[in-house]
Amino acid sequence: MTQSLQIQVVGAGAWGTALAIQAAQAGHAVTLCARSAEVAQRLAAERVNTAYLPGAAFPASLVVAHDAGPALASADLHIIGTPMAGLREALRRLPAAASVFWLCKGFEAGTGRLGHEIAREVGPQLRVGVLSGPSFAQEVAAGRPTALVAASRDEDLAQLAVSALHSERLRIYTSGDPVGVEVGGAVKNVLAIAVGICDGLGQRDDAPLAPGLNARAALITRGLAEMMRLGLALGAQPDTFMGLSGLGDLVLTATGDLSRNRRVGLALAQGRSLPEVLADLGHVAEGVYSAPTVLARAKALGVEMPITAAVVALLDGRLTPWAAVEQLMGRDARAESERL
């Protein structure tokens, strides 16, 4: 095993908890920081996160705390597992030159910033990166084989993530393109809602001509092209979108039964209202909150994103699920190499 590291995981949701479990099992000194003293006390007493990862027992060495405190100011690695809305505040609380990766995927509501842009504003001296890829927290916590990508322009920092998390069951690959990795992670959530809508319509008894598996394949393919257009406009490398955080994460999130964003689309296709769907979900579906911001950022750059536009219109109540799919599948014919 590599040298033991002191690791602080901020955010005791599903993802933060799953990676804290894996890092502790690898022999590192890990502290999982919960959002409140009450939550921290419950997790420490029960030694399992019943709200997000029932059945995934904590290793004996995993420490649970409410606040990082001064003792962890010098942690070798900080991992932020909050939703995108909490990233800015979490970064503000870190030491000036801390080494940090975040797990959240999306654009910040209001500002339209990606994680690396937020970090540049909040802490220019921070050593930063993003950890992403096709992964469900439940499977990571259970030790099922998973591959992730640690992306940072700081090569030594990316290697630090490998030292902290790489194992026989959790493979960590490195990338020097955090922009592409972040765009992939943000846009795939929006596209997963669209694919969920498409699949959900196909499950309805009152829609005999509803889209099927052929339409799903077309939607995922066109969605990947849409994701790439935005990424290239923001300075990403094209090869990134053919990797784990692009195509890999898109396929998993758009088709996997554990995907919250996919479940939102499935439920909307059954005629349920968005507030009702989100209330029943009980967890954050980042695609719902990211979709308007993704579209706004694309429009500002002159990037065409018809799938994202249809999802936003549906979430706003301006399109029905059936009208959204018909609009996408009824676009004018053109050369595939021109624009999907």
Side-chain angles (χ1 to χ4, degrees):
M1 192 194 79
T2 56
Q3 181 181 359
S4 178
L5 301 171
Q6 187 178 39
I7 300 172
Q8 173 197 353
V9 180
V10 178
W15 245 120
T17 302
L19 284 185
I21 289 172
Q22 286 297 310
Q25 288 177 341
H28 300 295
V30 183
T31 298
L32 177 63
C33 300
R35 67 181 181 274
S36 70
E38 180 183 357
V39 171
Q41 290 171 2
R42 185 175 68 251
L43 294 179
E46 296 178 353
R47 305 302 297 172
V48 66
N49 192 335
T50 53
Y52 292 100
L53 289 176
F58 291 178
S61 62
L62 179 60
V63 176
V64 182
H66 162 43
D67 199 324
L72 281 175
S74 59
D76 298 303
L77 180 64
H78 303 261
I79 297 175
I80 297 177
T82 67
M84 198 64 188
L87 177 60
R88 183 178 293 270
E89 180 57 31
L91 289 171
R92 281 178 177 150
R93 301 185 65 190
L94 295 179
S99 298
V100 55
F101 279 85
W102 48 84
L103 311 176
C104 44
K105 302 174 180 180
F107 288 79
E108 184 181 44
T111 69
R113 300 282 194 272
L114 287 165
H116 75 279
E117 295 170 319
I118 297 171
R120 190 185 307 140
E121 291 180 1
V122 172
Q125 302 305 313
L126 291 171
R127 301 178 65 204
V128 302
V130 56
L131 191 65
S132 190
S135 50
F136 290 133
Q138 294 95 321
E139 293 195 359
V140 171
R144 294 194 174 191
T146 302
L148 300 175
V149 57
S152 176
R153 293 194 175 97
D154 183 333
E155 186 175 346
D156 289 339
L157 180 65
Q159 289 299 327
L160 182 61
V162 174
S163 298
L165 297 169
H166 191 82
S167 68
E168 291 183 358
R169 294 287 177 169
L170 183 60
R171 315 304 287 180
I172 308 297
Y173 297 86
T174 61
S175 168
D177 182 21
V179 177
V181 170
E182 286 193 307
V183 170
V187 177
K188 61 95 182 181
N189 285 328
V190 181
L191 299 175
I193 295 175
V195 175
I197 292 167
C198 179
D199 288 351
L201 288 174
Q203 296 171 5
R204 291 180 55 158
D205 295 333
D206 59 346
L209 296 180
L213 298 179
N214 296 344
R216 176 207 277 183
L219 198 55
I220 291 175
T221 305
R222 291 172 61 182
L224 180 62
E226 191 165 299
M227 174 193 295
M228 186 179 293
R229 288 199 296 271
L230 179 59
L232 295 182
L234 288 168
Q237 300 169 12
D239 289 351
T240 300
F241 299 101
M242 295 297 108
L244 291 169
S245 61
L247 178 60
D249 208 1
L250 172 58
V251 169
L252 179 73
T253 310
T255 64
D257 291 337
L258 294 175
S259 167
R260 294 192 293 270
N261 292 285
R262 171 177 166 78
R263 295 207 303 267
V264 168
L266 288 170
L268 291 174
Q270 299 303 315
R272 302 180 65 194
S273 70
L274 182 60
E276 180 185 8
V277 171
L278 296 180
D280 288 349
L281 194 64
H283 300 271
V284 174
E286 288 283 10
V288 174
Y289 307 103
S290 292
T293 310
V294 170
L295 185 60
R297 192 81 187 257
K299 286 182 175 179
L301 293 166
V303 175
E304 184 183 9
M305 299 189 74
I307 299 174
T308 299
V311 170
V312 170
L314 187 145
L315 295 175
D316 288 346
R318 292 181 283 113
L319 276 182
T320 65
W322 182 253
V325 172
E326 282 192 324
Q327 176 177 299
L328 290 171
M329 300 307 295
R331 298 187 74 211
D332 292 341
R334 63 181 71 185
E336 182 181 34
S337 58
E338 178 187 347
R339 273 189 181 179
L340 290 172

